[in-house]
Amino acid sequence: LRFDPRLRPWYKHAKANGRSIWIGIYPFYATKDQVITIAFPIYSHNRFMGVAAADLNISSMRAAINHFSKDTGGIVFISNQSGQMISGE
């Protein structure tokens, strides 16, 4: 499997916009698990160096939310900028 992150949408968007970007929900290429990606450009002395990114697994987020909801007796959820619930009880 050949992987060049510079060809991925999250890399291109973060570089072009010059700020962090969230992408998802989509199936992760290696495992097909549903993930959300956050990516942000890295600069050194105002010179673009690359993009750092992290994939957040939806199943893991759901497990953490369920744990926190039960722990606090409250309601915990995650939504996107459109107000759609991504995970929660």
Side-chain angles (χ1 to χ4, degrees):
L1 179 65
R2 188 177 164 104
F3 179 76
D4 185 348
R6 297 169 299 172
L7 302 177
R8 305 297 300 158
W10 50 264
Y11 188 101
K12 291 178 180 180
H13 286 299
K15 181 179 180 182
N17 294 325
R19 59 180 175 80
S20 63
I21 185 164
W22 291 88
I23 298 187
I25 302 172
Y26 65 94
F28 189 64
Y29 75 97
T31 64
K32 304 303 179 206
D33 290 342
Q34 296 291 304
V35 299
I36 296 173
T37 297
I38 182 168
F40 54 92
I42 304 293
Y43 294 94
S44 177
H45 304 287
N46 293 324
R47 182 172 169 236
F48 176 77
M49 303 301 289
V51 173
D55 297 309
L56 306 171
N57 183 292
I58 298 295
S59 295
S60 297
M61 290 176 21
R62 283 189 179 122
I65 286 170
N66 290 339
H67 172 76
F68 291 128
S69 293
K70 291 173 186 167
D71 233 19
T72 64
I75 299 172
V76 180
F77 64 92
I78 297 173
S79 68
N80 65 15
Q81 64 267 24
S82 300
Q84 295 172 310
M85 188 180 301
I86 294 171
S87 185
E89 281 194 357

